[in-house]
Structures are given as C-alpha cells and as structure tokens.
C-alpha cells in the first residue's frame, strides 16, 4: 500500500503518517519526488485494511499496490531510481553507461589489454568474471580471488568501475569487497538465500533475468533484494530460452519498456549472452538503446579466437570501438548521452 501526500503537506504531517505506520508495526519507506511525496508501507497488507490512514492530515490518497512486488513497483517511488557507484557514475539517469570487457578474467595481460581498449572507446565500467558459472565442470571456472585482484588493478590503472559475478553466499563477501557492482547471473536469479544476503551489502546489484523467468518472476527476485535492505538494484535483460536455436537465446527487448513501465529500477541489456554471436551484438545494442535501456553489458576480448569463455559472442576491441560511435549517435537522437 502507498500513501500519496498532498502537494502542500507539511513536514510534520509527513512525519505524523510515518509515526502512525510504525506504531501499527509496519515499516515506512519515504520517497520525495519533484512533484509529490510518497510513503510506501511494508508489511502484511491484510492487516493494514483496518488502519484508517486516509483520514490523517496531509494525506491525499491511499492506494493499494496490486502487483505481488511492492518495493520494485513503479508506484512505490515518486521518481526513477538512480543507482550511484562510488564517485560520479549514476545508472538510470540521462547518461547510458556501457559495461564492457571479457566474459572471464583469464590473465593480467588479457584483462589490462581489454580494459585499456574499452576505456578508450568510451566504456565506463569494466566487466569480467572471476567466479564463472559454467555448464560443464571441465570448462574454465575462473581465477577466483586472483581474478578480483586483477580487476582491482585495472580499475586503478584506467579509472573504470568494475562489475563481476558472485555465485554463492560463501564468496559474496569477497566479491562485494572488490566489486563496484555485484552481478547475479541468470542461473542464480532465484537463489533466494543469495538474494537475501545481497540485501545486507551496500554495493549495487546487477540482477540478470533468469533464462526462463517471466518479467514478474524477475521483479519478484528484485523484491527480495530490496526488501532485505539494498535499494541499489539494476535489472539486466540477457535473453530467454525460446524455440529458436539459431541464436543462443532470444533477447527480449520488449522487456525494457515493459519493466520501465512496471518498475522504477534502471534496466540494462546484455546482447552478448542474448544473441551468442558477435556479428549480431552491435545491431541489438543499437536496438536496446532505442528501446530505452539505461546501459549495456557487452563482452569484448582482445583476441576472441583465444578466449577461454564465450569467444564466439565477444567483440574485438576494433568492432567495439566502431559500435560505440554508432551508439553515441543513437543516444543523441534520443536526448541521452553515452
Ligand atoms: C556472464 O555475464 O558472463 C554470464 C555468465 O551471464 P549470464 O548469467 O547471463 O549467463
Ligand atoms: Mn559470458
């Protein structure tokens, strides 16, 4: 349930509503927008019906939230969420941020080469997995903490932020120590223990859509993180399973406007995993921006033919640089920056 305060409600009236909510044993979430102030109520909705909040001074309207997700819902917040990384980067605002780099950190040399090239082309965030969820137990599993140290070195050297995946609750504290954004992979979207733990860290979370998750299931997964105490969630569309086998997955770009309609959270798109073939990554990056994405996650490898993971979908630094030029033009047409 949300309480919409009247435009002329005083601070005392706002605090009065919050006191009442807390006295009834609920949590209140205050959101001050440019035009209106909203107070979200977190707790068992059924019991709330007995509390006459509509009569409190300064209250304009009491609206039930009909969707099963509450804190992720568009009605819960007056404005769109801006996820801030340490320093100057804000995801969800006018600027579209490109997160680029190899699928996995393979060596210091490989990652630093990738970082230098993606930075030069205009990426602001470096991607690279140190803990890799691989379909086969015989495939390269990542360098672990050594990979995180290499990412941290690249961050210092090139002034990039880093996004890297946490696969389970045991290694989450370690990953969160190094990462600027903790990535939760498609296979873990419904790892509820992990989602609850993410609520306890303050680092932003990039929550990938499960490979067969509906939009509602995805938003419910985000709700776990939000309700556990971490409001810095970025959603990432990365393709879903369909009957089509020519591409690795089916990149569901319709999810971008749909999720932006349903939720206040920023949405980024990962065409690399969505398509699985490097040739089609650039057109789908263009389409993602046209659809309203707040950012992109793109695999770039200094030498895709030698990649230990996802080489077929990785752009060369040259192709990435050319693509960034096109993306800049599309962003400008839409009144955004890149
Ligand atoms: C990745 O980003 O390298 C990755 C493993 O992604 P996903 O979880 O979307 O498959
Ligand atoms: Mn990958």
């Amino acid at each position: 349930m949300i309480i919409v305060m009247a435009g002329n409600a005083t601070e005392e009236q706002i605090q009065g509503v919050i006191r009442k909510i807390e006295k009834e044993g609920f949590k209140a979430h205050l959101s001050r927008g440019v035009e209106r102030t909203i107070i979200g109520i977190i707790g068992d909705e059924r019991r709330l019906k007995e509390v006459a909040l509509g009569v409190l001074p300064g209250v304009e309207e009491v609206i039930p939230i009909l969707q099963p997700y509450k804190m992720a819902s568009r009605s819960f917040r007056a404005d769109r969420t801006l996820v801030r990384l340490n320093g100057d980067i804000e995801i969800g605002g006018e600027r579209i941020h490109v997160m680029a780099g190899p699928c996995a950190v393979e060596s210091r040399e490989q990652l630093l080469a990738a970082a230098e090239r993606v930075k030069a082309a205009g990426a602001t965030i470096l991607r690279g997995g140190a803990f890799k969820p691989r379909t086969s137990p015989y495939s390269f599993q990542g360098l672990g903490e050594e990979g995180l140290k290499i990412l941290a070195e690249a961050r210092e050297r090139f002034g990039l932020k880093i996004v890297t995946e946490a696969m389970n609750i045991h290694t989450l504290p370690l990953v969160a120590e190094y990462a600027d954004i903790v990535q939760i992979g498609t296979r873990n979207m419904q790892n509820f223990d992990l989602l609850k733990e993410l609520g306890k860290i303050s680092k932003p979370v990039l929550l990938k859509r499960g490979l067969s998750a509906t939009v509602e299931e995805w938003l419910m997964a985000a709700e776990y993180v939000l309700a556990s105490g971490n409001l810095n969630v970025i959603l990432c569309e990365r393709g879903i399973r369909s009957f089509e086998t020519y591409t690795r997955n089916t990149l569901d770009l319709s999810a971008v406007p749909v999720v932006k309609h349903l939720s206040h959270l920023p949405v980024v798109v990962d065409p690399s995993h969505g398509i699985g073939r490097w040739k089609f990554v650039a057109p789908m990056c263009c389409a993602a921006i046209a659809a309203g994405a707040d950012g992109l996650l793109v695999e770039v490898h200094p030498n895709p033919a030698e990649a230990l993971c996802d080489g077929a979908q990785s752009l060369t630094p040259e192709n990435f640089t050319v693509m960034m030029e096109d993306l800049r033009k599309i962003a400008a047409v839409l009144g955004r920056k890149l």
Side-chain angles (χ1 to χ4, degrees):
M1 195 168 274
I2 57 166
I3 312 286
V4 181
M5 298 303 292
N8 59 357
T10 63
E11 188 56 34
E12 182 43 36
Q13 289 172 334
I14 293 171
Q15 293 309 323
V17 173
I18 293 176
R19 273 197 302 277
K20 175 72 177 162
I21 293 168
E22 289 174 350
K23 190 162 156 249
E24 296 293 336
F26 297 95
K27 273 207 294 193
H29 180 270
L30 180 64
S31 168
R32 292 180 203 271
V34 182
E35 280 166 22
R36 54 183 193 163
T37 294
I38 283 172
I39 304 170
I41 307 175
I42 305 155
D44 181 356
E45 290 249 327
R46 285 164 304 179
R47 227 174 48 67
L48 256 181
K49 293 204 179 79
E50 296 144 27
V51 187
L53 294 161
V55 301
L56 294 177
V59 172
E60 185 173 289
E61 212 182 344
V62 178
I63 307 175
I65 299 182
L66 301 173
Q67 297 95 339
Y69 43 89
K70 313 278 174 216
M71 299 183 73
S73 149
R74 184 89 175 86
S75 35
F76 197 83
R77 272 193 84 132
D79 295 319
R80 300 211 66 83
T81 288
L82 294 177
V83 173
R84 288 197 175 83
L85 313 188
N86 311 321
D88 49 351
I89 292 190
E90 229 171 42
I91 297 173
E94 186 191 6
R95 178 148 189 205
I96 296 163
H97 287 278
V98 178
M99 314 174 187
C103 179
V105 182
E106 297 167 8
S107 67
R108 183 171 173 273
E109 190 193 24
Q110 170 247 19
L111 190 80
L112 294 180
E116 183 173 15
R117 301 296 300 273
V118 300
K119 166 83 183 186
T124 47
I125 301 163
L126 176 66
R127 66 146 290 146
F131 295 96
K132 293 302 304 175
R134 304 304 301 278
T135 301
S136 165
Y138 309 118
S139 301
F140 176 59
Q141 303 284 310
L143 295 179
E145 186 169 8
E146 177 58 23
L148 296 173
K149 288 187 176 147
I150 297 171
L151 282 163
E153 183 184 343
R155 165 172 50 205
E156 290 313 311
R157 199 141 151 193
F158 299 104
L160 289 157
K161 304 290 179 201
I162 55 182
V163 55
T164 191
E165 178 164 353
M167 276 175 50
N168 57 53
I169 54 173
H170 310 295
T171 47
L172 173 62
L174 180 69
V175 173
E177 195 183 309
Y178 286 89
D180 295 297
I181 305 175
V182 176
Q183 175 175 325
I184 299 302
T186 194
R187 296 159 186 84
N188 265 320
M189 189 205 80
Q190 283 188 320
N191 180 338
F192 299 115
D193 286 339
L194 182 57
L195 298 177
K196 285 185 213 163
E197 285 302 306
L198 290 164
K200 300 182 191 152
I201 62 166
S202 56
K203 290 280 170 74
V205 173
L206 181 89
L207 181 62
K208 288 201 165 194
R209 180 178 182 178
L211 46 90
S212 56
T214 63
V215 164
E216 187 169 299
E217 286 162 342
W218 187 18
L219 290 172
M220 290 306 287
E223 188 78 10
Y224 264 92
V225 183
L226 300 169
S228 314
N230 188 343
L231 302 180
N232 295 308
V233 176
I234 304 160
L235 297 165
C236 177
E237 164 61 41
R238 49 78 68 202
I240 47 178
R241 281 273 166 90
S242 79
F243 55 82
E244 181 56 73
T245 53
Y246 187 79
T247 50
R248 182 174 177 179
N249 289 289
T250 295
L251 187 67
D252 180 13
L253 284 183
S254 67
V256 178
V258 168
V259 165
K260 291 186 89 166
H261 169 72
L262 296 173
S263 177
H264 51 84
L265 297 171
V267 185
V268 312
V269 175
D270 168 1
S272 305
H273 292 87
I275 308 290
R277 294 166 174 242
W278 72 267
K279 253 181 200 300
F280 309 119
V281 168
M284 295 315 281
C285 283
C286 294
I289 291 185
D294 297 302
L296 296 168
L297 186 70
V298 185
E299 287 188 339
V300 179
H301 194 287
N303 184 0
E306 298 288 314
L308 298 181
C309 183
D310 285 350
Q313 66 192 36
S314 299
L315 297 182
T316 59
E318 293 74 23
N319 286 333
F320 179 69
T321 305
V322 171
M323 176 183 84
M324 289 292 278
E325 288 302 319
D326 289 339
L327 298 184
R328 245 174 238 118
K329 290 180 212 148
I330 294 173
V333 168
L334 295 167
R336 300 188 76 174
K337 291 198 192 98
L338 189 121

